[in-house]
Amino acid sequence: MKRLLIALGLSAAATAALAAPPKPLFADDQPIHITIKGPISRFASSEDRKNTFPATITSGTDNLPAQLSPRGITRLRKDTCDFPPMRVDFTGNPPATSIFAGQNRLKLVTHCQSNPGFQQYVLLEYATYRLYNLLSPMSFRVRLAQVDYVEDSGKTGTSRLGFFIEDLGDVAHRNEMKEAQVGARIPVANLNPSDAARFAVFQYMISNLDWAMQAGPEGDACCHNSRLISASAAPPWTTVPYDFDYSGLVDAPYAAPPEGISVSSVKMRRYRGFCRHNAEALKAAADIRAQKAAMMAVFTQIPQLAESTRKKATAFLDRSFNDIATDDAVTKNLLKTCVN
């Protein structure tokens, strides 16, 4: 029944109640406090950033063995981040009593630079995931973490906020769906129209152009900063977005518009949804309008988000609500640049 309701394009409010609960790590929004002990300096300074490093993740009384590996694309480069994003692979099954119960492999978004100001970019990207959670249960849950980094020698290093991102398999499982197995490029006709339209309207609102629903980067699998899930092995596929650091809402200092798109700044909005989904885009915009108060409230719930950052972010997002205030506004401001 749930699969049928999702396929019929019911609102997020209707489908959210039907989604299975997430695993313990993502069942709560309260920040957790963990320690990662290992060769932290070597992890950050690894020449090719392709190595893996043994470490221990401590949470409460749990000491969990793991392997750490740098990850990412832009943030993997040393000229962008002193400290790259991290992939955590647990080398044993965390106990049932652990906050990490049921987890095998996780992405951890880190602070990128030692400059304390970079914490605000982490928090804004975390908030962006939370915004999309309000619109659909077919989205990546996130969990904020205060991470103490400790060297093998026991020397205490830095302590910074980061956040874990739910595994795609778990997103699919709690929605009674599966990860889609696709090639490098897929036809637009294989996308669920309602989900694709919601995806595109949301990306417009946060002013993010760094994504593709149809294909991945050259030489990579589909899709760019999005993943596909479906109720079966066959289409239609739901596209689930991630990586929002290139959005105007986050406004990271290294963010720039993708090549081939004629905007001069990541803060310039441009709609890139498909024209065949215009009717669904109007419905998606109406659903998002109904969530405005809840979406704005997210920014008041983020610990350590500076008041100046909150005001700037909410003002930026509020302007996008003006752009979708009515169906006529959506047609004028968004659909005129839809992609055929």
Side-chain angles (χ1 to χ4, degrees):
M1 175 60 75
K2 180 168 69 177
R3 291 178 182 176
L4 175 61
L5 294 174
I6 291 173
L8 290 174
L10 283 194
S11 68
T15 56
L18 299 169
K23 292 177 180 177
L25 180 59
F26 300 103
D28 197 298
D29 292 327
Q30 289 300 308
I32 61 173
H33 193 164
I34 65 171
T35 298
I36 299 181
K37 184 177 181 180
I40 303 302
S41 296
R42 286 199 294 125
F43 169 84
S45 62
S46 174
E47 283 303 315
D48 57 8
R49 290 195 168 176
K50 293 181 180 178
N51 297 322
T52 59
F53 303 88
T56 301
I57 314 293
T58 300
S59 174
T61 59
D62 296 325
N63 295 294
L64 308 172
Q67 291 283 332
L68 311 179
S69 53
R71 63 171 190 86
I73 301 176
T74 300
R75 282 184 278 196
L76 187 62
R77 301 199 319 247
K78 288 188 176 182
D79 59 349
T80 300
C81 287
D82 294 336
F83 198 91
M86 182 180 292
R87 188 179 301 282
V88 176
D89 287 277
F90 292 105
T91 54
N93 293 324
T97 55
S98 172
I99 190 71
F100 292 106
Q103 302 297 337
N104 295 308
R105 195 178 208 202
L106 288 167
K107 292 179 179 179
L108 175 62
V109 176
T110 59
H111 50 283
C112 181
Q113 298 278 358
S114 58
N115 182 336
F118 269 74
Q119 289 285 259
Q120 298 301 302
Y121 304 122
V122 172
L123 294 171
L124 285 173
E125 188 174 10
Y126 165 78
T128 308
Y129 281 91
R130 293 273 305 274
L131 295 177
Y132 201 71
N133 291 157
L134 290 171
L135 304 180
S136 174
M138 294 170 288
S139 57
F140 287 102
R141 298 290 187 101
V142 285
R143 187 71 179 268
L144 201 62
Q146 184 74 42
V147 185
D148 297 336
Y149 295 98
V150 178
E151 295 287 347
D152 276 330
S153 64
K155 180 181 178 181
T156 301
T158 189
S159 180
R160 288 288 187 271
L161 284 168
F163 63 89
F164 287 102
I165 303 175
E166 187 179 25
D167 182 75
L168 179 64
D170 289 338
V171 177
H173 178 74
R174 61 181 169 79
N175 286 285
E176 293 186 4
M177 301 175 84
K178 300 177 181 178
E179 298 180 50
Q181 303 299 318
V182 300
R185 177 173 289 272
I186 63 169
V188 179
N190 285 359
L191 293 171
N192 181 298
S194 296
D195 298 332
R198 178 181 59 245
F199 179 112
V201 173
F202 179 77
Q203 299 281 21
Y204 172 89
M205 294 187 72
I206 65 170
S207 190
N208 188 27
L209 298 169
D210 188 32
W211 56 268
M213 283 189 265
Q214 277 188 285
E218 186 175 351
D220 205 349
C222 189
C223 303
H224 180 47
N225 288 341
S226 64
R227 289 293 180 265
L228 300 169
I229 58 177
S230 64
S232 68
W237 293 317
T238 291
T239 185
V240 185
Y242 66 95
D243 271 11
F244 303 114
D245 59 315
Y246 264 56
S247 68
L249 181 62
V250 175
D251 197 23
Y254 53 79
E259 293 183 9
I261 299 179
S262 57
V263 299
S264 58
S265 163
V266 295
K267 301 187 78 171
M268 294 181 64
R269 292 182 170 92
R270 184 179 180 87
Y271 183 70
R272 295 179 55 222
F274 297 108
C275 298
R276 67 170 65 193
H277 299 155
N278 281 357
E280 289 83 4
L282 291 171
K283 174 64 167 57
D287 289 343
I288 294 173
R289 286 197 297 270
Q291 292 290 333
K292 179 179 180 179
M295 293 176 75
M296 290 300 193
V298 165
F299 296 95
T300 68
Q301 301 162 4
I302 310 298
Q304 299 187 42
L305 188 69
E307 180 64 11
S308 58
T309 303
R310 185 193 67 79
K311 287 183 177 179
K312 180 181 176 182
T314 53
F316 184 79
L317 188 61
D318 192 50
R319 289 194 288 274
S320 73
F321 277 102
N322 291 334
D323 288 350
I324 66 163
T326 64
D327 285 356
D328 286 345
V330 175
T331 300
K332 175 184 176 182
N333 297 314
L334 279 69
L335 304 187
K336 65 182 180 182
T337 60
C338 68
V339 179
N340 288 309

